[in-house]
């Protein structure tokens, strides 16, 4: 089964999980569909410009070919090709020879290789493929589970701190269970858990769809249904922003609604303590996203540390080590990294957003609008979302690393954007002095090999 959509949203996470592949008309290498499918090890072809979908007729059209939901298609996530019919397939295998080559690579490479993993299953697969920890755990993906989304929406719809806290209290044990699974799979290795990042409206129905629902209920709905739908529409309208990717998300959410950060921190610490009680070794890192000002991180860190220490005091376990750091994904953060580092134990460069904000292009739109023409004309040599723009975005990373280390010589630095699995980008990150890259679990072997090759290339150049 292949999931076919105009574009996917967090609501589609269950469809992606059930599907064998994903096909979208909109998006690109770092769109929601591509990132989620890649993390699950499933093929995805995103941004097929001439793909037309008729949901009512349950058909898709590419060029002159019309297919129904009863037809079979094959998608090749590597080449971006879509075939009518079933092509012969061969499951990927990790042979003893391949393992031997990876072992040689590990002996040579300097860069560490972690994985982006949001579930215990993902973390276990990443470790199996050689990941040395989790560089990015996206906590918001956990909110999209069928049994959790209604609770998340109650939290968002809450009109008082008390009602919001009641929903968060219900979410806490669910998040704790998720973190326990990941800490268990990665025992003895670091796990960087990112606090909630996307804008809250992403957990609510689409504004247009909800408006249409209200119109329908005004005609044939019950008073109770209509009142509830109108209340939800009003909340969606209030939360909607012209440019949500630059709006109320990331650390801004934690500072406006600190109770969310408190709940997530409690879940992280409780999970770590529970795992340690079973004789395992959780290594906890808590990551604050989208920081642009040092004061933002100072305030957020204060919330996290106060909450974590309170949990440890309650448990009588003051010795659990945990670290608090941030994602560097805004140009201002890279340029003021020396001041931000005063409040950070580690930096993780989120190169997806850093590319968007540095170059000023949308990763969801550019690949379907002007970027193809730019590539053809030679204005850019590569898709900057697929391979790092070394001269621009790479320079911001260099500045961020250099200025962060100036303040804190022991500052650990890594990258957790999709560039972390791209060989050309990995070579650049090695040269920029980062400590590790983090990528989707199924890209870990490639990252291990790429990190070794850049060292070998350097050795050959030195000999010459």
């Amino acid at each position: 089964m292949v999931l076919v959509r105009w574009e996917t949203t967090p609501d589609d996470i269950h469809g992606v999980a059930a599907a064998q592949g994903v096909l979208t008309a909109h998006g690109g290498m770092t769109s929601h569909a591509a990132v989620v499918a890649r993390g699950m090890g499933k093929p995805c072809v995103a941004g097929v410009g001439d793909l037309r979908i008729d949901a009512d007729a349950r058909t898709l059209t590419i060029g002159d070919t019309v297919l129904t939901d009863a037809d079979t298609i094959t998608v090749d996530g590597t080449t971006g090709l879509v075939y009518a019919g079933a092509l012969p397939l061969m499951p990927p295998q990790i042979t003893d020879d391949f393992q031997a080559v990876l072992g040689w690579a590990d002996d040579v490479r300097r860069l560490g290789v972690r994985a982006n993993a949001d579930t215990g299953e993902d973390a276990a697969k990443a470790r199996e493929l050689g990941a040395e920890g989790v560089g990015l755990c996206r906590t918001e993906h956990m909110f999209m589970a069928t049994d959790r989304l209604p609770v998340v929406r109650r939290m968002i719809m809450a009109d008082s701190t008390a009602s919001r806290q009641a929903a968060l209290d219900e979410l806490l044990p669910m998040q704790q269970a998720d973190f326990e699974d990941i800490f268990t799979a990665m025992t003895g290795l670091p796990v960087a858990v990112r606090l909630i990042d996307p804008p809250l409206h992403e957990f609510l129905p689409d504004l247009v769809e909800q408006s249409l629902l209200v119109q329908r209920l005004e005609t044939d709905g019950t008073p109770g249904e209509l009142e509830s739908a109108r209340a939800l529409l009003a909340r969606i309208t209030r939360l909607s922003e012209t440019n949500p990717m630059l709006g109320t998300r990331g650390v801004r959410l934690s500072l406006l609604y600190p109770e969310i950060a408190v709940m997530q921190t409690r879940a992280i610490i409780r999970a770590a303590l529970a795992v340690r009680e079973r004789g395992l070794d959780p290594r906890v890192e808590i990551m604050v996203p989208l920081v642009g000002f040092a004061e933002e991180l100072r305030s957020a860190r204060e919330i996290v540390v106060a909450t974590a220490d309170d949990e440890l005091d309650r448990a009588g376990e003051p010795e659990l080590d945990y670290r608090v750091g941030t994602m560097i994904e805004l140009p201002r953060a890279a340029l003021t990294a020396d001041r931000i580092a005063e409040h950070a134990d580690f930096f993780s460069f989120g190169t997806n957003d850093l590319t968007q904000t540095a170059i000023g292009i949308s990763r969801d739109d550019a690949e379907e609008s002007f970027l193809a023409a730019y590539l053809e004309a030679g204005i850019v040599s590569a898709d900057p979302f697929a391979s790092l723009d070394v001269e621009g975005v790479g320079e911001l990373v260099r500045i961020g690393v250099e200025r962060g280390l100036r303040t804190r010589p022991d500052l650990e630095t890594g990258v957790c954007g999709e560039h972390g699995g791209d060989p050309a980008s990995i070579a650049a990150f090695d040269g920029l002095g980062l400590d590790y890259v983090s990528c989707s679990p199924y890209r870990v072997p490639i990252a291990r090999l790429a990190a070794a090759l850049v060292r070998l290339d350097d050795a050959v150049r030195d000999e010459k």
Side-chain angles (χ1 to χ4, degrees), residues 261-321:
V262 168
M263 180 277 288
Q264 292 195 302
T265 302
R266 291 194 188 281
I268 294 167
I269 299 300
R270 290 181 187 182
L273 293 176
V275 168
R276 194 168 73 172
E277 285 179 3
R278 299 200 295 269
L280 301 178
D281 180 20
R283 306 285 180 90
V284 181
E285 297 181 349
I286 301 175
M287 185 156 59
V288 181
L290 208 74
V291 163
F293 298 87
E295 181 61 20
E296 286 179 316
L297 184 57
R298 188 203 65 77
S299 299
R301 183 187 180 103
E302 191 174 80
I303 295 169
V304 169
V305 170
T307 304
D309 289 352
D310 179 63
E311 281 296 320
L312 294 175
D313 288 343
R314 291 185 185 191
E317 297 277 1
E319 298 303 319
L320 178 73
D321 290 329

Side-chain angles (χ1 to χ4, degrees), residues 50 59 65 146 179 207 249 269 272 335 407 416-417 435 460:
D50 57 352
T59 64
T65 303
T146 305
F179 297 141
L207 177 61
R249 53 169 289 223
I269 299 300
L335 295 172
T407 297
C416 61
D435 295 309
V460 170

Side-chain angles (χ1 to χ4, degrees), residues 205-215 229-230 232-233 236:
D206 177 75
L207 177 61
V208 174
E209 291 179 1
Q210 189 66 20
S211 299
L212 293 173
L213 175 61
V214 169
Q215 290 179 12
R230 280 176 171 168
L232 182 54
L233 176 60
I236 296 170

Side-chain angles (χ1 to χ4, degrees), residues 367-414:
E367 290 173 304
E368 295 176 10
S369 53
F370 67 88
L371 189 55
Y374 270 37
L375 287 165
E376 186 175 348
I379 296 174
V380 294
S381 60
D383 180 345
F385 293 108
S387 191
L388 183 74
D389 165 37
V390 177
E391 292 181 350
V393 179
E395 181 66 6
L396 286 171
V397 174
R398 184 195 65 76
I399 290 170
V401 171
E402 182 181 280
R403 295 184 182 180
L405 290 173
R406 185 188 305 161
T407 297
R408 287 200 57 167
D410 62 339
L411 184 76
E412 186 177 47
T413 59

Side-chain angles (χ1 to χ4, degrees), residues 73 89 91 117 228 278 355 370 378 390-391 440 444 448:
I73 62 173
L89 304 176
S228 176
R278 299 200 295 269
T355 297
F370 67 88
V390 177
E391 292 181 350
S440 302
V444 166
R448 292 164 64 188

